Amino acid sequence: QVQLVESGGGLVQAGGSLRLSCAASGIDFSNNAMAWYRQAPGKQRELVAAINTGGSTNYADSVKGRFTISRDNAKNTVYLQMNSLKPEDTGTYDCNTGPWVVVTTLFRGLGSWGQGTQVTVSS
């Protein structure tokens, strides 16, 4: 069973930074893509960033140049470094894993959606 545990969220002022972590278990981590998503109240889940097994990345236009996704295969963990945060970045962030086309186009993966980690950016 794939398990995903997100952490690192919090309350931060606009312009600040946060680093999110997602630890995965129950999966061949190094052979699967990883992705971060967010969902704001009243809105649909959106893809924020994804990283494939070779380290290639994909970002939503709204976060390009501000967010960086990375992975540590030795720790089965994916990170999301978020800089220059804006109030519109507020939402629940969660991660998932699976084949690249699944996590980047179907907005789902092999794991069940958990509680995620809350990011709140104040103006």
Side-chain angles (χ1 to χ4, degrees):
Q1 183 179 359
V2 178
Q3 291 191 326
L4 303 161
V5 179
E6 302 94 348
S7 62
L11 173 63
V12 64
Q13 288 188 333
S17 298
L18 285 172
R19 187 193 194 206
L20 306 184
S21 300
C22 169
S25 60
I27 193 169
D28 184 1
F29 184 87
S30 62
N31 286 319
N32 280 279
M34 297 293 301
W36 281 99
Y37 307 85
R38 69 185 177 193
Q39 188 167 18
K43 295 187 177 181
Q44 291 187 334
R45 178 179 282 114
E46 63 173 337
L47 176 69
V48 175
I51 185 167
N52 70 8
T53 57
S56 296
T57 57
N58 185 26
Y59 295 94
D61 288 342
S62 59
V63 307
K64 284 180 181 177
R66 299 188 298 122
F67 290 12
T68 302
I69 187 171
S70 61
R71 63 190 297 160
D72 185 337
N73 290 338
K75 295 182 178 179
N76 284 12
T77 299
V78 63
Y79 304 98
L80 186 67
Q81 178 66 44
M82 306 187 296
N83 299 328
S84 302
L85 282 162
K86 304 176 180 180
E88 51 263 44
D89 294 319
T90 294
T92 301
Y93 285 67
D94 46 24
C95 64
N96 219 313
T97 180
W100 178 258
V101 67
V102 173
V103 299
T104 58
T105 64
L106 300 182
F107 292 9
R108 60 181 175 88
L110 302 177
S112 300
W113 298 110
Q115 292 186 338
T117 187
Q118 179 66 35
V119 172
T120 303
V121 184
S122 62
S123 57

